[in-house]
Amino acid sequence: MTTTWGKFYGVGVGPGDPRLLTLQAVDVLQTVDLVAIPKSKMERESVAWDIAKVHCPANVCLLELEMPMTSDQQVLAKAWRDGAEMLLQELKQGKSIAFITLGDSSLYSTYSYLLNLLQEQLPSELITTVPGITAMAAAAAKINLPLATGDEPLVVLPSTEDVDQYLDFPNLVLMKVSRRLPEILNLLRERDRKAVLLTRLGQTGEQICWEPKPEDFQANKIDYLSLLLVKKDLLGRENGERK
C-alpha cells in the first residue's frame, strides 16, 4: 500500500509580536491540519504558541513535543528522535503539519534537528521552511540602530562559546546570554565596549537596558529570551531612547 504523506512546514513565528509573522507563515498556520509546538516542559506554556495562536483557527489541532532545555546531547538526541517519530506518524496519515519555532526557523532552532531526521524519510518537495524575523533584526529595529552598514562585518554568536576573541568586531550580536551575562558584561567593560540588552521583544515583560552593568545582574536571573547588541557607534544614541 502506497503511503500518501502530508506536507511538513517549519514556520518561524518571529521574536514575540504576532504582527511580525510573514504572510506566508500566516497562510500556512491557517491551512494545516496540525500545529506542532515545542515545549521545554510539558506543563509549561509555549512562547511560540502564544505568538502564533492569534493567526490559527480556533479549532486547530495541536501536537505538543517536549524539547528539554539541556546541554546533555544524549537527552537532546532522544527528544529529537521521539519528536520526529511523532511527526512522522501524523504525516504518514496524510496530515499537514506546521512546526512553529521562535524567530527564524533556520537560526539556532530546534526545527533544524528535526528537519535532519525527517529528511531521511520525507521527499524534499514535502518539506517547506518558512523564514521568520530574527530577534536581532527586531532588536535593532526597536532601538532604531542598524545591525551593520557599508562594508562592516556582523558577527552573530551564541554566548555559550568563547566570546572574548570576537569583542573587537564593530558589530556583534550575542545570543543566549542569560547564563553568562555578568561574565560577558565584565569582558565588555574590560574592552571598553558598549552594549544594549534587550529582553522579551514584543512580549509582556519587554525590557531594554542601555549599557548594562555586571553588578546589576549578579543576583537576578536573566530571562532566556535576551540578547546583547554590541556596537562601535553606540555612544550618544541611548539618550534619546531613554525618554
Side-chain angles (χ1 to χ4, degrees), residues 8-25:
F8 180 67
Y9 300 86
V11 180
V13 299
D17 188 337
R19 296 173 299 175
L20 293 181
L21 268 75
T22 65
L23 294 175
Q24 184 184 15

Side-chain angles (χ1 to χ4, degrees), residues 110-131:
T110 299
Y111 166 72
S112 300
Y113 301 104
L114 293 172
L115 177 62
N116 287 338
L117 295 170
L118 294 177
Q119 283 176 322
E120 296 175 3
Q121 298 197 48
L122 277 181
S124 59
E125 62 268 21
L126 294 181
I127 300 174
T128 298
T129 300
V130 181

Side-chain angles (χ1 to χ4, degrees), residues 183-194:
E183 175 189 350
I184 292 169
L185 293 178
N186 273 316
L187 287 172
L188 292 174
R189 175 181 283 176
E190 291 170 5
R191 301 283 275 273
D192 195 28
R193 297 302 308 274
K194 307 299 182 183

Side-chain angles (χ1 to χ4, degrees), residues 15 102-104 107-108 134-137 139 155-161 163 172-180 184 224-230:
L102 283 173
D104 177 61
L107 183 66
Y108 299 127
T134 62
M136 60 182 172
V155 175
V156 182
L157 195 69
S159 298
T160 51
E161 300 293 332
V163 302
L172 181 62
V173 178
L174 296 179
M175 312 285 289
K176 306 179 183 181
V177 296
S178 57
R179 292 182 182 178
R180 299 182 58 201
I184 292 169
Y224 177 75
L225 300 176
S226 301
L227 61 79
L228 277 170
L229 296 184
V230 184

Side-chain angles (χ1 to χ4, degrees), residues 162-226:
D162 182 11
V163 302
D164 185 67
Q165 60 182 309
Y166 299 95
L167 294 184
D168 289 330
F169 279 84
N171 306 294
L172 181 62
V173 178
L174 296 179
M175 312 285 289
K176 306 179 183 181
V177 296
S178 57
R179 292 182 182 178
R180 299 182 58 201
L181 184 59
E183 175 189 350
I184 292 169
L185 293 178
N186 273 316
L187 287 172
L188 292 174
R189 175 181 283 176
E190 291 170 5
R191 301 283 275 273
D192 195 28
R193 297 302 308 274
K194 307 299 182 183
V196 187
L197 175 68
L198 300 104
T199 299
R200 285 197 169 265
L201 285 165
Q203 304 173 42
T204 302
E206 177 184 289
Q207 293 183 340
I208 302 173
C209 180
W210 290 86
E211 298 186 34
K213 298 176 175 58
E215 54 267 24
D216 294 336
F217 298 95
Q218 295 293 343
N220 299 326
K221 185 177 180 181
I222 310 306
D223 194 289
Y224 177 75
L225 300 176
S226 301

Side-chain angles (χ1 to χ4, degrees), residues 72-127:
D72 188 320
Q73 292 302 305
Q74 289 187 335
V75 172
L76 288 172
K78 183 179 185 305
W80 298 332
R81 288 194 303 271
D82 291 346
E85 184 57 38
M86 290 178 66
L87 293 168
L88 285 168
Q89 289 176 8
E90 300 292 343
L91 291 166
K92 284 179 181 177
Q93 298 177 42
K95 296 178 182 178
S96 57
I97 302 176
F99 179 89
I100 58 174
T101 181
L102 283 173
D104 177 61
S105 42
S106 301
L107 183 66
Y108 299 127
S109 171
T110 299
Y111 166 72
S112 300
Y113 301 104
L114 293 172
L115 177 62
N116 287 338
L117 295 170
L118 294 177
Q119 283 176 322
E120 296 175 3
Q121 298 197 48
L122 277 181
S124 59
E125 62 268 21
L126 294 181
I127 300 174

Side-chain angles (χ1 to χ4, degrees), residues 11 13-14 36-38 45-53 100-102:
V11 180
V13 299
I37 304 171
E45 294 300 315
S46 164
V47 177
W49 174 240
D50 282 343
I51 298 167
K53 62 186 179 183
I100 58 174
T101 181
L102 283 173

